Amino acid sequence: MSIPLLEYKPSSQNQRVPGYEVSSEDTPRIYRLEDSPEYSDIQQLIWAGYRQVFSEHEILKFYRQSNLESQLKNRAITVRDFIRGLAKSEAFRRLVVETNSNYRVVEICLKRLLGRAPYNKDEEIAWSIKIATLGWGNFVDALIDSEEYLSNFGENTVPYQRRRYKGRPFNLVTPRYADYWRDKEEDSRYKWGDINNFLEMARSASIKTVTYTPVSTANIDIPDMTKGTLPEGIPVSISTTASFPLG
């Protein structure tokens, strides 16, 4: 028997209030399947889905879900199913789920799948219990199938950050790694010239003890280097004024 979602009181956030702002460059672009009749349009919609779910500016081959892309291009699945598949993919699990606590996973998923930040700590606790009891896949289904998702994005709209006029985009304030994970990665990274690396190298060096052997000079045969004859030959000088005895 699954544990029901704990009750929490939604805070009054700006995305819950209708806005009267004039559209500007900060207004998020909305991607809908109905507005994508051409191949290039649906390709842009697919990239928008990747950017929203993975929050990456560069989409690597590892992220790509070819089967989901093909089904969406053929209109075999909806955008909602496409977003669901991206969130349940192995790439998202490895990049986001396995590198964060449940509380932070809830924060990231609410921002990327529902387009808003958590209301409060109580909501983070409530959804984290869902992850622990139902598993990751069922947690994603609970968000994608929620009334909030359907009322804001429906079947064929890529989720986007709602009412981001008073803050930076979520992908800038909520990176993939949390502080403690980035610190762990930084500590384990090899740093050239770091004193800690030198100390580890010094500890790993094996020292060989030199055995001292005394040597006596009494038995050393020293050869005779003295010359027994005088030098012979004609005296030569580079000085033209030098005189030598003749005879």
Side-chain angles (χ1 to χ4, degrees), residues 97-127:
V97 181
E98 295 180 359
T99 58
N100 290 286
S101 65
N102 283 355
Y103 294 146
R104 181 171 169 81
V105 168
V106 168
E107 177 189 5
I108 291 176
C109 289
L110 289 178
K111 289 180 176 180
R112 299 184 186 179
L113 301 183
L114 296 184
R116 65 167 176 84
Y119 290 132
N120 45 47
K121 195 64 178 180
D122 292 339
E123 184 180 27
E124 293 183 9
I125 294 175
W127 283 114

Side-chain angles (χ1 to χ4, degrees), residues 22-41:
V22 178
S23 298
S24 64
E25 61 181 8
D26 293 330
T27 305
R29 178 179 175 182
I30 300 176
Y31 293 87
R32 297 186 180 90
L33 192 61
E34 297 86 346
D35 301 332
S36 306
E38 303 294 336
Y39 176 83
S40 59
D41 297 331

Side-chain angles (χ1 to χ4, degrees), residues 35-213:
D35 301 332
S36 306
E38 303 294 336
Y39 176 83
S40 59
D41 297 331
I42 188 120
Q43 196 68 28
Q44 292 182 10
L45 184 145
I46 289 174
W47 292 133
Y50 279 115
R51 289 193 301 269
Q52 178 65 24
V53 175
F54 287 96
S55 191
E56 300 286 346
H57 296 287
E58 295 292 336
I59 306 301
L60 304 180
K61 185 177 180 180
F62 169 68
Y63 305 156
R64 299 286 298 274
Q65 305 297 316
S66 302
N67 293 335
L68 292 175
E69 292 182 25
S70 178
Q71 293 179 64
L72 183 60
K73 291 175 182 178
N74 295 325
R75 305 301 201 269
I77 60 175
T78 63
V79 174
R80 183 163 70 109
D81 292 331
F82 179 71
I83 298 298
R84 188 197 309 270
L86 295 182
K88 289 185 177 182
S89 65
E90 181 64 22
F92 190 86
R93 174 183 290 274
R94 288 174 55 183
L95 292 173
V96 179
V97 181
E98 295 180 359
T99 58
N100 290 286
S101 65
N102 283 355
Y103 294 146
R104 181 171 169 81
V105 168
V106 168
E107 177 189 5
I108 291 176
C109 289
L110 289 178
K111 289 180 176 180
R112 299 184 186 179
L113 301 183
L114 296 184
R116 65 167 176 84
Y119 290 132
N120 45 47
K121 195 64 178 180
D122 292 339
E123 184 180 27
E124 293 183 9
I125 294 175
W127 283 114
S128 64
I129 293 176
K130 281 291 186 180
I131 297 177
T133 56
L134 300 180
W136 171 248
N138 290 326
F139 165 72
V140 173
D141 290 336
L143 292 181
I144 299 295
D145 297 333
S146 65
E147 180 63 28
E148 181 178 0
Y149 183 97
L150 292 173
S151 61
N152 286 281
F153 309 117
E155 293 287 345
N156 292 317
T157 301
V158 176
Y160 55 89
Q161 181 176 341
R162 293 180 272 158
R163 301 289 307 283
R164 73 179 188 189
Y165 304 98
K166 297 184 180 300
R168 292 179 296 169
F170 287 150
N171 63 333
L172 297 181
V173 297
T174 314
R176 171 160 36 103
Y177 292 147
D179 295 340
Y180 66 90
W181 184 267
R182 291 197 302 271
D183 294 341
K184 179 180 178 182
E185 291 290 313
E186 180 67 16
D187 294 339
S188 62
R189 182 175 64 86
Y190 180 83
K191 305 179 187 64
W192 182 264
D194 191 350
I195 186 62
N196 295 324
N197 297 329
F198 175 79
L199 295 177
E200 292 178 1
M201 180 188 68
R203 295 189 191 99
S204 62
S206 58
I207 302 176
K208 296 182 180 180
T209 305
V210 179
T211 304
Y212 173 74
T213 304

